[in-house]
Amino acid sequence: MLEQDRFLHGFALLLCICLGSLLSGIAVSEIPLGSKLSVGESNSWVSSNGDFAIGFYNFPDQPKQFSVGIRFNSKSVPVDKQTVVWVAGGDVTVGNNSYFQLQENGELVLFDALQGEEVWTSKTSQLSVALAVLRDDGNLVLLNENRDVIWQSFDSPTDTLLPGQRLSTFRTLRAASQNYVSSLYSLYMNVSGQLQLRWESSIIYWSAGRPSHSNLSAVLSSDGSLQLVAPNLERFWSMFGEDHNDTVRFRFLRLDVDGNLRLYSWMEVSQTWRSVWQAVENQCNVFATCDQQGICAFNASGSHVCTCPFHHAVQSNSKCLVSSQHDCKPGSIMVEHANMFLYGIYPVHDFISLTSLDKCKSMCLSDPSCTAVTFTNDGSAKCRMMKTQYVSGYSDPSLSATSFVKRCSDPLAADPIFPLKSPPQAYKEPYNICIPCLVGAASGTIFVFIVIQLGMGFYLYKRKNIYRRLASLAHSRPGSKCLIILSFTEIKELTGNFSDQIGPKMFKGALPDKQPVAVKELEGTIEARKFRAAVSKVGSIYHKGLAKLEGYCCEFDHRYLVYEYAENGSLDKYIENPTLAERLTWRKRMDISLSVGRAIFYLHTECREFLCHGNLKCENVVLDENFEAKVKEFGLGMLYGEASSRRASAQKDVEDFGKMVLTLVSGFKEVKDVLDWAYKEWMEGNPENVVDKRLKNEVDAEELECALRIAFWCLQADERVKPSMGEVVKVLEGTLPADPPPPPFSCLISAREVEDTSESGSEV
C-alpha cells in the first residue's frame, strides 16, 4: 500500500482556502432564502455540530480561481487537513467577487463575477424550496415547508462518499480534474449490480459484486465498510477497512486523482488521514496510471514509478511515445522488453489474436501501422497488437509477458560536408576609381542598410515577443488544462496570416513547438462575456473522441477558436470524394460510428454538466493521423443563445447521429432524400442494397443490420421512442439488442399537425 502522504497530495493543500471561513463561519441549523456566501467576505455555512462547513476555497497554484465546496470543519482536524468532500459543479471555478446564494426562488446559484453569469445552479426554482440545511453528516439539503427533501448534495457526488451516502445505479464518482488524465477515471454503479472503476467509459480495471443483481447501491457505513445493498438493505457484497469497528470519528471514501479508490480514516493521535483500504492493491494495475509518461514499475523502496524504457522513443513535452513508422525508410527492427505488458491508450482498442511469440513479433514487423506487440506466455498465447504511438503498461520481474517495440533501423552515416574552397579569381587590370562617386554610393548604401535593419529588427523583436509569450503559455504547465488566450496579432502569426485554409472559416496554423493547430473563425458579433463563458466550459472537457480546444481569441470584434489539428481532415470529404471514399472501409465506418457515439454519450452523461453538440454532421467529425474520429465544434450553441430543454437538445444529437450512421452506411450525404428508400429496402429484406456501392464485398451482415436498426430508431419522428445515446452506444458495442424499428416518419404528419395547432392556440 502506498504511503498516506502520496494519497493526500494536492488535497491537504485545500485550505490555503479562503479559510478565513473558520473565523467567520456561523453554526446554523437553517439557511434561509436569500443567504449568500462570497469570495470577498470568506464566510461559510456550518453544520449544527460544527463538523462540516460549506464555503469558497482555492488551490495554491490557482490563487485567483475559487470553487464552492463542503469540507471537514471540526476543531480536532487542523486547517490544512480539512479535506473537501463535495464541490458545486465539480470542475467549475469562479473569479474574485463571485458569490454562492440560496435565492428567493429556492435555487442555489454559483455566480461568476468574472464572466458576469451563473455557472452552476441546483435547478430547483420551480420546486417550492423554503430553506436549506447543512446536516451534521455533511449533506447539504433543500427542504420545502413540509421539511421534505427537494434536493441534496448526497445525490450529486463529485469524487467522495461520506458515511451514509449512497451511490445508486447509473451514478458516478469522478476523480478531481487536477490534470486531464484524472478526469477520465470514474467509479460507476451499473444496472447489473456491479461497482466498477473505469477509464473513460470502455475500460473496466476493477469491479465488485456479481453481475446478477439489479437496483443495488454502494454505501459507506460509519464502521468502516463499503457495501452493495438492495433497497430492503440486504447486503450482497462488502469490504472492510483495516480499522473496521474501531472508534473513528471521521471517514470518507474517495476516488483519487491516480485512479485508485481509497477509504480514509482520521487518526486523532497522529493528526493525519490514513488510508485503511484501497481497491487496487498494485497501483500499476490501474489502467493508464502513467498515461503518456511511460511504463509503471516499482523501485527498490516499493513505490511505483513511471519510466520510459523506449530508448529510441519520441520524447517531447515530457511524453514517452513509441516511434512512428510512417517515414522509416531504412526499415524497422523489433526491440524486445522482457517481463513487460503493454497496451495502447489513445485509442484503447488493441488487436488480440492467438498465436506464437515468433508469429506475434513478425506480424507487427510486417504491418506498417503496428507500433508494438505484447505476447503473454502464461499459457494463453495471446498476441496484443498496438497501432498507436500512445502506449502505456507495466513491468515486473514476475510478469509472464514479453513485449516488442518497433523502431527504425539506424540510418547510414551521412557523408561529411567539407567547406568549399573559393574558385581562383582571374587577374584583371585595375580600373581608375572615382573617389567622390564611391563615397556617395557608400553613404547611400549605408543609410538604406540602416533603415532596413531597423525595420527588420523591430519586426523580429515584435515577432519574437509574440512567440515567446505563446511558448510560455503553451509550455509553462505541461498537461495543464488551461486555455491559451491569444490576441488577433498572435492568431495571424500562428496561421501565417491565414494562408492555409482547410475548410469554411477554418485555417491551419502551428504553435512555436511546431505542433499543428486548426483555427476556427466565428462571428465577431458574439458577446464577449458569453463567448468566454462558453469556451471556458468547452475547454475543460477532454475525451479521446473530442477535438481538444487549445485556446481562443476574444479581442475587439475578433472571435477565434484554436483546436488540436487532425491530420486527415473532415469526414465529409471522404464521403464525397470517390477516391478518398475507398479508404473508408466498412470496418473503419463502424469504428467511426462507435467513436462518435461514445463522444456524444460522454457529453450527455459523463461531463460534470450536460452538454449537447447541437450541430453534429460529417463536416464536424475529423480524422487524425491514425484515422481515429474526433468530434469538433461541440457546445457552440451556447455562443448563439440557442436555448432548449436538456431532453430536446439530447434528442437533436440523437437524430443527427442517426443521419450520420445512415450516411456512413449508404454513402449519401443528404439522408432525407434516401431515408424512405433505405427503410423500404431494409423492410423487404434487402439491406445490402442500401450499402455504399464503393465498398467491395467487405460488409458484415450482422453489423449492417445493427447499424440500420439504430439509425432508423434515432430518426424516429416520435421523440418518445427515440433511444438515448447510452442505449445507442450499447447497441453498437453489441451489449444491447435492438428491436425492429417502425417507419421513421410514421408519426411525422401528426406531429407537425399537433405543433401547428398548438401554435395557433387550439386545444389538441
Side-chain angles (χ1 to χ4, degrees):
M1 182 176 294
L2 302 178
E3 294 294 330
Q4 60 192 19
D5 290 342
R6 261 197 83 260
F7 300 149
L8 297 177
H9 179 65
F11 286 88
L13 48 83
L14 276 166
L15 310 162
C16 90
I17 281 180
C18 294
L19 273 179
S21 57
L22 277 176
L23 302 176
S24 56
I26 301 174
V28 292
S29 58
E30 296 183 355
I31 303 167
L33 299 179
S35 299
K36 180 189 289 188
L37 302 174
S38 65
V39 171
E41 296 181 11
S42 297
N43 52 344
S44 61
W45 299 329
V46 184
S47 61
S48 60
N49 63 1
D51 286 346
F52 294 93
I54 180 171
F56 282 97
Y57 71 94
N58 64 358
F59 292 90
D61 61 342
Q62 295 177 318
K64 296 182 180 180
Q65 293 293 314
F66 300 87
S67 296
V68 171
I70 298 173
R71 56 177 170 78
F72 286 101
N73 188 62
S74 172
K75 293 181 180 179
S76 64
V77 180
V79 171
D80 62 343
K81 304 293 185 182
Q82 292 179 350
T83 303
V84 172
V85 296
W86 179 82
V87 182
D91 296 334
V92 175
T93 59
V94 295
N96 284 318
N97 302 317
S98 300
Y99 63 82
F100 183 67
Q101 184 177 29
L102 177 59
Q103 295 184 333
E104 296 292 342
N105 62 6
E107 188 166 55
L108 283 170
V109 170
L110 178 58
F111 183 85
D112 185 6
L114 188 63
Q115 299 180 19
E117 66 178 18
E118 299 170 357
V119 294
W120 178 86
T121 74
S122 60
K123 298 180 176 62
T124 52
S125 60
Q126 306 296 322
L127 301 179
S128 303
V129 172
L131 72 157
V133 174
L134 180 57
R135 290 180 168 171
D136 291 346
D137 58 359
N139 188 14
L140 178 65
V141 298
L142 301 182
L143 308 174
N144 62 16
E145 291 184 352
N146 296 325
R147 316 291 290 191
D148 299 321
V149 175
I150 303 300
W151 176 94
Q152 57 182 339
S153 60
F154 270 19
D155 283 343
S156 55
T158 47
D159 63 351
T160 302
L161 285 184
L162 290 170
Q165 185 175 4
R166 288 174 176 262
L167 187 71
S168 54
T169 304
F170 300 126
R171 297 285 185 183
T172 299
L173 293 187
R174 187 168 296 280
S177 297
Q178 292 184 341
N179 56 66
Y180 73 91
V181 180
S182 59
S183 64
L184 299 180
Y185 290 117
S186 63
L187 177 69
Y188 179 73
M189 190 72 218
N190 75 5
V191 70
S192 300
Q194 281 189 303
L195 189 63
Q196 300 173 334
L197 283 174
R198 306 189 305 178
W199 190 81
E200 288 193 324
S201 57
S202 55
I203 299 298
I204 300 170
Y205 57 91
W206 177 86
S207 63
R210 293 174 295 173
S212 57
H213 304 285
S214 59
N215 201 24
L216 299 185
S217 298
V219 61
L220 176 63
S221 67
S222 59
D223 63 0
S225 65
L226 177 63
Q227 306 171 1
L228 297 183
V229 298
N232 62 1
L233 301 184
E234 181 183 359
R235 186 186 306 173
F236 286 88
W237 175 87
S238 60
M239 75 80 203
F240 303 94
E242 295 174 5
D243 60 354
H244 174 61
N245 281 333
D246 289 355
T247 302
V248 176
R249 186 174 178 186
F250 300 120
R251 304 181 192 269
F252 66 87
L253 181 79
R254 185 174 65 207
L255 178 56
D256 284 327
V257 295
D258 62 5
N260 217 330
L261 181 69
R262 296 184 177 92
L263 175 61
Y264 291 98
S265 297
W266 177 247
M267 301 289 103
E268 293 285 356
V269 176
S270 60
Q271 292 284 281
T272 57
W273 291 103
R274 174 171 169 254
S275 173
V276 295
W277 174 84
Q278 66 181 46
V280 186
E281 281 299 321
N282 184 342
Q283 182 62 33
C284 287
N285 289 333
V286 173
F287 190 84
T289 191
C290 287
D291 190 55
Q292 300 174 34
Q293 309 307 313
I295 305 305
C296 182
F298 284 87
N299 59 21
S301 64
S303 300
H304 90 276
V305 292
C306 296
T307 62
C308 188
F310 315 131
H311 299 296
H312 294 269
V314 178
Q315 299 186 51
S316 63
N317 297 337
S318 301
K319 294 180 180 179
C320 177
L321 310 181
V322 299
S323 299
S324 172
Q325 304 299 307
H326 298 307
D327 300 318
C328 196
K329 296 178 182 178
S332 302
I333 61 173
M334 302 299 291
V335 179
E336 182 176 347
H337 298 275
N339 309 117
M340 182 181 293
F341 186 90
L342 301 178
Y343 49 77
I345 52 176
Y346 304 111
V348 297
H349 307 298
D350 297 337
F351 301 86
I352 301 176
S353 59
L354 300 179
T355 184
S356 65
L357 184 146
D358 290 338
K359 181 65 174 177
C360 180
K361 178 180 175 181
S362 62
M363 283 194 305
C364 183
L365 193 58
S366 61
D367 188 337
S369 62
C370 177
T371 56
V373 288
T374 289
F375 180 79
T376 50
N377 47 8
D378 57 357
S380 61
K382 287 184 179 179
C383 177
R384 176 182 295 267
M385 181 184 294
M386 287 137 270
K387 297 186 177 183
T388 175
Q389 286 185 271
Y390 299 94
V391 171
S392 189
Y394 50 93
S395 176
D396 188 272
S398 63
L399 196 61
S400 298
T402 301
S403 295
F404 298 91
V405 177
K406 185 189 292 186
R407 71 167 176 85
C408 287
S409 302
D410 293 332
L412 295 174
D415 290 330
I417 300 176
F418 296 98
L420 297 175
K421 295 181 179 179
S422 300
Q425 300 293 322
Y427 174 78
K428 295 184 179 180
E429 291 291 336
Y431 291 98
N432 292 326
I433 299 175
C434 174
I435 300 300
C437 298
L438 184 60
V439 171
S443 300
T445 301
I446 291 172
F447 176 77
V448 172
F449 177 77
I450 291 174
V451 171
I452 292 174
Q453 289 298 310
L454 288 174
M456 291 186 63
F458 177 76
Y459 170 76
L460 292 173
Y461 174 77
K462 184 177 179 183
R463 183 184 180 94
K464 182 178 180 181
N465 281 349
I466 290 174
Y467 272 81
R468 183 182 296 165
R469 197 185 80 83
L470 289 176
S472 65
L473 284 170
H475 305 297
S476 60
R477 292 180 60 193
S480 172
K481 290 173 61 176
C482 295
L483 294 175
I484 305 173
I485 304 175
L486 304 165
S487 67
F488 179 61
T489 301
E490 291 165 341
I491 289 289
K492 290 198 296 184
E493 290 287 346
L494 290 180
T495 59
N497 202 21
F498 308 104
S499 59
D500 189 357
Q501 186 165 0
I502 56 177
K505 294 187 176 182
M506 183 72 78
F507 305 89
K508 184 179 179 181
L511 295 176
D513 63 351
K514 307 302 182 182
Q515 176 189 343
V517 290
V519 179
K520 173 72 173 181
E521 180 183 6
L522 301 178
E523 295 177 11
T525 56
I526 300 173
E527 183 184 353
R529 185 172 59 183
K530 182 182 295 183
F531 179 81
R532 291 191 180 97
V535 298
S536 177
K537 180 178 289 187
V538 171
S540 67
I541 296 172
Y542 179 85
H543 185 272
K544 69 165 188 172
L546 297 171
K548 189 175 187 299
L549 183 65
E550 302 283 2
Y552 68 92
C553 169
C554 183
E555 183 181 77
F556 303 113
D557 59 346
H558 302 295
R559 305 288 183 268
Y560 291 89
L561 298 177
V562 181
Y563 288 101
E564 65 172 310
Y565 179 71
E567 183 69 32
N568 285 305
S570 61
L571 177 60
D572 65 311
K573 74 177 183 181
Y574 289 86
I575 296 293
E576 295 174 344
N577 188 303
T579 303
L580 293 177
E582 295 181 1
R583 297 185 64 186
L584 282 182
T585 63
W586 175 257
R587 175 77 272 126
K588 180 53 62 179
R589 296 184 192 215
M590 292 300 97
D591 288 344
I592 290 172
S593 297
L594 182 56
S595 180
V596 172
R598 284 172 172 163
I600 301 303
F601 171 64
Y602 182 85
L603 290 177
H604 286 190
T605 64
E606 299 199 5
C607 292
R608 292 295 188 185
E609 294 186 45
F610 170 84
L611 190 67
C612 72
H613 188 287
N615 191 29
L616 183 62
K617 53 185 178 182
C618 291
E619 291 93 325
N620 287 333
V621 175
V622 291
L623 304 172
D624 66 12
E625 66 275 10
N626 296 318
F627 234 64
E628 299 292 334
K630 290 181 178 289
V631 179
K632 67 174 184 176
E633 298 188 25
F634 52 91
L636 297 191
M638 295 182 289
L639 298 177
Y640 300 100
E642 298 172 5
S644 58
S645 69
R646 172 171 176 167
R647 177 178 176 82
S649 300
Q651 289 176 343
K652 170 70 164 57
D653 283 350
V654 170
E655 181 177 326
D656 290 343
F657 180 77
K659 293 178 182 178
M660 180 179 295
V661 172
L662 196 52
T663 294
L664 286 168
V665 171
S666 67
F668 291 102
K669 190 174 180 181
E670 296 298 328
V671 171
K672 62 182 180 181
D673 298 334
V674 299
L675 179 57
D676 291 334
W677 164 78
Y679 185 80
K680 181 175 180 292
E681 290 289 346
W682 173 77
M683 280 291 293
E684 293 177 353
N686 303 311
E688 66 279 359
N689 292 344
V690 182
V691 176
D692 191 341
K693 299 301 184 288
R694 295 170 294 189
L695 291 172
K696 302 175 181 178
N697 301 322
E698 54 178 307
V699 178
D700 184 286
E702 291 185 5
E703 289 182 332
L704 173 60
E705 179 71 15
C706 172
L708 288 176
R709 287 192 179 192
I710 201 62
F712 294 146
W713 274 116
C714 290
L715 292 168
Q716 291 295 306
D718 187 351
E719 295 181 346
R720 296 169 298 180
V721 300
K722 283 184 179 178
S724 67
M725 282 308 302
E727 292 170 324
V728 168
V729 169
K730 288 181 180 178
V731 170
L732 293 176
E733 289 176 336
T735 60
L736 183 70
D739 295 330
F745 293 110
S746 60
C747 305
L748 184 58
I749 297 177
S750 60
R752 285 178 176 170
E753 289 175 348
V754 169
E755 184 179 13
D756 294 341
T757 308
S758 299
E759 290 177 355
S760 64
S762 303
E763 288 188 14
V764 179

